[in-house]
Amino acid sequence: MALARGVRRPVEALCKMINSPINCRRGYSVMTCKGSLFTGYGENRSSFSSDSTYLGYGVSSRRFSTEVSSADQMSLIKQLRERTSAPIKEVKAALVDSNWDIDSAQTELRKRGMVLASKKATRTAAEGLLALAQNERKAAIIELNCETDFVARNEIFQYLAQSLAKLALVVDGSPLSSGTFHVRPESLEEMTLNLDHPKLSGEKTVQNAITEVAAMMGENVKLRRGFAMSSPSYGVLSTYLHTSPQPGIGRIAGLLSLEVENQNASLDALERVGSELAMHVVAAKPVFLTKDLVSAEALAKEREILKSQAESTGKSQMAIEKMVEGRLRKYYEEVVLMEQKFIVNDALNVKTLLNNLSEEVGTPVRIGSFLRVEVGEGLQR
């Protein structure tokens, strides 16, 4: 009996301890129960904060708000994630800081994103894509860079790139060559975009739109460069995009204009050959249109390399000169568009192809200008 009474008191004391919240200076309570997790907070309800933790059966649960249920929290996280495409971690943090007010959280995310985007602006962005837009008067192409090909495949990033290409159509660029213009990024930055995407909408300047997408993607996003090519008075302007996930975007672009003297020439034949030549430009990587346009600097540099290679054979000076001239002809075939073998039919070079086309349409046909652009070219990866 004495032993039973002695055991009863500690058990009663233990029961009191179990049924009483234990407060500490960190503002959370640890409760142990048999059967279910405590859902009431007793008199200490107002002292709980976002750090509050409740334990039952050895399981912990973090409660961020005394007013929003777990199901509602998950729903708000999903909605804000769909609105902004921001990382889930950032979405949840913004909602907690805004006491689960989704509009305030969205504003907070934008503020955080602008800060993060500015911090990432110095990071190398050598991935991305090209976007092409075209109307009756000209074609414009822009390069929008990011850090990874994962972001380049994102629909918001692609939508922004296409919007920028359409805007580049209305800009007067700096002349590069006959019919080709350079569209400088700074000439677009303060222009206004009218965006109509579920996650990127409204009127925004180009710079603000790029910053907002950078915040969504969590990477450095940069408008690197742009080009435009005018349509000829008589003829066609042809374009080709390589590695194109959808119309209007790709990783390599070829633009080429074919000009004719007779405005009544058949456009069907011109369009067919023009499309093939635009694809040829992408594949063959020409640098110059004709031999006459090869710069003296480029020719002197190549001649020096070829002469050094020929001298290493130990042959006579006359033989060396013949070797150099023969190899220069090969160099022209590599870098001069008119001298290159046509990729669709390598029995012809481009010059012969155009002669045959001139006979077919009944009027002289010539290449007015061409342009090849590739994502990340010239950038250190």
Side-chain angles (χ1 to χ4, degrees), residues 25-205:
R25 286 172 293 179
R26 290 181 58 87
Y28 63 81
S29 296
V30 177
M31 303 181 184
T32 305
C33 65
K34 182 178 180 181
S36 63
L37 187 67
F38 275 87
T39 57
Y41 314 125
E43 298 177 354
N44 197 43
R45 180 180 302 228
S46 62
S47 68
F48 293 111
S49 67
S50 63
D51 293 328
S52 299
T53 305
Y54 309 95
L55 301 179
Y57 285 117
V59 178
S60 64
S61 170
R62 181 180 292 269
R63 190 172 183 87
F64 294 96
S65 171
T66 58
E67 299 177 357
V68 182
S69 68
S70 297
D72 289 340
Q73 289 177 15
M74 293 302 298
S75 176
L76 288 169
I77 290 171
K78 182 180 178 182
Q79 290 178 47
L80 188 54
R81 168 78 171 154
E82 289 174 351
R83 282 192 193 182
T84 64
S85 291
I88 290 179
K89 182 179 178 182
E90 296 295 329
V91 167
K92 189 174 182 180
L95 283 166
V96 170
D97 291 347
S98 304
N99 198 26
W100 299 94
D101 183 323
I102 192 168
D103 293 327
S104 299
Q106 186 170 354
T107 302
E108 179 65 22
L109 270 179
R110 290 190 63 189
K111 291 178 182 177
R112 294 182 185 185
M114 302 301 179
V115 174
L116 289 173
S118 64
K119 289 180 179 178
K120 294 174 181 178
T122 58
R123 298 195 327 205
T124 301
E127 291 293 335
L129 50 78
L130 305 172
L132 174 71
Q134 189 171 359
N135 57 26
E136 294 180 354
R137 297 184 298 106
K138 64 179 178 179
I141 190 161
I142 62 95
E143 179 180 354
L144 187 65
N145 293 131
C146 55
E147 296 176 46
T148 65
D149 61 351
F150 176 78
V151 167
R153 294 194 298 268
N154 183 279
E155 61 167 337
I156 303 172
F157 184 87
Q158 293 178 358
Y159 175 78
L160 174 62
Q162 289 176 314
S163 300
L164 292 172
K166 292 174 184 176
L167 188 63
L169 278 176
V170 303
V171 175
D172 295 324
S174 307
L176 285 176
S177 59
S178 176
T180 306
F181 304 89
H182 184 201
V183 180
R184 301 184 183 279
E186 51 269 26
S187 66
L188 297 174
E189 286 179 352
E190 297 306 318
M191 295 184 70
T192 302
L193 286 169
N194 290 308
L195 302 169
D196 186 23
H197 187 278
K199 299 177 183 177
L200 188 69
S201 60
E203 286 193 2
K204 305 177 191 293
T205 65

Side-chain angles (χ1 to χ4, degrees), residues 19 63 102 139 181 229 255 296 302-303 307 312 372 378:
N19 291 313
R63 190 172 183 87
I102 192 168
F181 304 89
M229 184 178 290
L255 287 75
E302 188 64 23
R303 187 183 292 275
K307 185 177 181 180
S312 65
R372 183 186 188 277

